[in-house]
Short mmCIF file of all heavy atoms in Angstrom, two decimals:
data_model
loop_
_atom_site.label_atom_id
_atom_site.label_comp_id
_atom_site.label_asym_id
_atom_site.label_seq_id
_atom_site.Cartn_x
_atom_site.Cartn_y
_atom_site.Cartn_z
N THR J 246 43.66 94.36 65.83
CA THR J 246 45.05 94.16 65.93
C THR J 246 45.74 94.45 64.57
O THR J 246 46.81 95.15 64.50
CB THR J 246 45.32 92.79 66.38
OG1 THR J 246 44.45 92.54 67.57
CG2 THR J 246 46.85 92.59 66.87
N PRO J 247 45.18 93.93 63.38
CA PRO J 247 45.90 94.04 62.14
C PRO J 247 46.00 95.61 61.78
O PRO J 247 47.14 96.07 61.45
CB PRO J 247 45.14 93.35 61.13
CG PRO J 247 44.32 92.40 61.95
CD PRO J 247 43.99 92.96 63.32
N SER J 248 44.86 96.21 61.81
CA SER J 248 44.94 97.67 61.20
C SER J 248 44.26 98.71 62.07
O SER J 248 44.07 99.88 61.60
CB SER J 248 44.01 97.62 59.82
OG SER J 248 42.71 97.35 60.11
N CYS J 249 43.92 98.49 63.24
CA CYS J 249 43.28 99.48 64.14
C CYS J 249 41.93 99.95 63.55
O CYS J 249 41.75 101.17 63.55
CB CYS J 249 44.22 100.62 64.46
SG CYS J 249 43.78 101.56 66.00
N ALA J 250 41.17 99.07 63.17
CA ALA J 250 39.82 99.37 62.61
C ALA J 250 38.84 99.39 63.71
O ALA J 250 39.02 98.70 64.83
CB ALA J 250 39.41 98.32 61.58
N PHE J 251 37.69 100.14 63.69
CA PHE J 251 36.67 100.28 64.58
C PHE J 251 35.26 99.68 64.13
O PHE J 251 34.76 100.26 63.06
CB PHE J 251 36.52 101.81 65.00
CG PHE J 251 37.76 102.32 65.75
CD1 PHE J 251 38.92 102.60 65.00
CD2 PHE J 251 37.67 102.37 66.98
CE1 PHE J 251 40.09 103.04 65.78
CE2 PHE J 251 38.83 102.88 67.65
CZ PHE J 251 40.03 103.18 67.01
N ASP J 252 34.78 98.78 64.88
CA ASP J 252 33.39 98.22 64.39
C ASP J 252 32.44 99.37 64.82
O ASP J 252 32.61 100.19 65.68
CB ASP J 252 33.13 97.02 65.40
CG ASP J 252 33.96 95.72 64.85
OD1 ASP J 252 34.53 95.75 63.78
OD2 ASP J 252 34.10 94.81 65.67
N HIS J 253 31.33 99.29 64.04
CA HIS J 253 30.24 100.33 64.14
C HIS J 253 29.39 100.00 65.34
O HIS J 253 28.19 99.68 65.21
CB HIS J 253 29.38 100.38 62.82
CG HIS J 253 30.30 100.83 61.63
ND1 HIS J 253 30.03 102.08 61.03
CD2 HIS J 253 31.38 100.28 61.18
CE1 HIS J 253 30.91 101.98 60.08
NE2 HIS J 253 31.74 101.04 60.12
N ILE J 254 29.82 100.39 66.54
CA ILE J 254 29.01 99.97 67.80
C ILE J 254 27.77 100.83 67.96
O ILE J 254 26.92 100.45 68.64
CB ILE J 254 29.89 99.98 68.97
CG1 ILE J 254 30.62 101.27 69.39
CG2 ILE J 254 30.90 98.86 68.99
CD1 ILE J 254 31.20 101.30 70.70
N THR J 255 27.74 101.97 67.39
CA THR J 255 26.49 102.87 67.66
C THR J 255 25.38 102.10 67.01
O THR J 255 24.13 102.31 67.37
CB THR J 255 26.69 104.30 67.03
OG1 THR J 255 27.20 104.14 65.64
CG2 THR J 255 27.55 105.10 67.84
N LYS J 256 25.62 101.33 65.83
CA LYS J 256 24.55 100.55 65.22
C LYS J 256 24.42 99.16 65.66
O LYS J 256 23.33 98.63 65.69
CB LYS J 256 24.78 100.49 63.61
CG LYS J 256 24.70 101.88 63.05
CD LYS J 256 23.26 102.20 62.75
CE LYS J 256 23.08 103.80 62.36
NZ LYS J 256 23.88 104.19 61.32
N LEU J 257 25.65 98.53 65.94
CA LEU J 257 25.53 97.18 66.34
C LEU J 257 25.01 97.09 67.82
O LEU J 257 24.38 96.03 68.18
CB LEU J 257 27.14 96.66 66.46
CG LEU J 257 27.61 96.46 65.13
CD1 LEU J 257 29.25 96.45 65.09
CD2 LEU J 257 27.25 95.18 64.47
N GLY J 258 25.20 98.07 68.66
CA GLY J 258 24.82 98.06 69.98
C GLY J 258 23.26 97.86 70.12
O GLY J 258 22.76 97.06 70.70
N PRO J 259 22.40 98.70 69.41
CA PRO J 259 21.04 98.54 69.54
C PRO J 259 20.69 97.22 69.06
O PRO J 259 19.58 96.60 69.44
CB PRO J 259 20.55 99.70 68.63
CG PRO J 259 21.56 100.74 68.58
CD PRO J 259 22.96 100.02 68.80
N LEU J 260 21.25 96.60 67.93
CA LEU J 260 20.94 95.31 67.52
C LEU J 260 21.15 94.32 68.52
O LEU J 260 20.18 93.46 68.77
CB LEU J 260 21.82 95.14 66.19
CG LEU J 260 21.71 93.60 65.63
CD1 LEU J 260 20.24 93.38 65.15
CD2 LEU J 260 22.75 93.44 64.58
N CYS J 261 22.33 94.31 69.19
CA CYS J 261 22.59 93.36 70.27
C CYS J 261 21.47 93.52 71.36
O CYS J 261 20.97 92.45 71.94
CB CYS J 261 23.95 93.55 70.82
SG CYS J 261 25.21 93.14 69.63
N ASN J 262 21.20 94.69 71.75
CA ASN J 262 20.25 94.94 72.84
C ASN J 262 18.93 94.23 72.41
O ASN J 262 18.34 93.67 73.31
CB ASN J 262 20.13 96.44 73.19
CG ASN J 262 21.32 97.01 73.84
OD1 ASN J 262 21.37 98.20 74.15
ND2 ASN J 262 22.36 96.22 74.12
N LYS J 263 18.52 94.52 71.25
CA LYS J 263 17.19 94.05 70.76
C LYS J 263 17.13 92.62 70.71
O LYS J 263 16.12 92.02 71.06
CB LYS J 263 17.00 94.73 69.18
CG LYS J 263 15.76 94.25 68.67
CD LYS J 263 15.38 95.01 67.46
CE LYS J 263 14.48 94.32 66.45
NZ LYS J 263 15.14 93.37 65.64
#
Side-chain angles (χ1 to χ4, degrees):
T246 318
S248 67
C249 200
F251 290 78
D252 290 342
H253 293 242
I254 58 169
T255 49
K256 294 279 168 50
L257 290 159
L260 172 66
C261 290
N262 290 177
K263 179 168 157 275

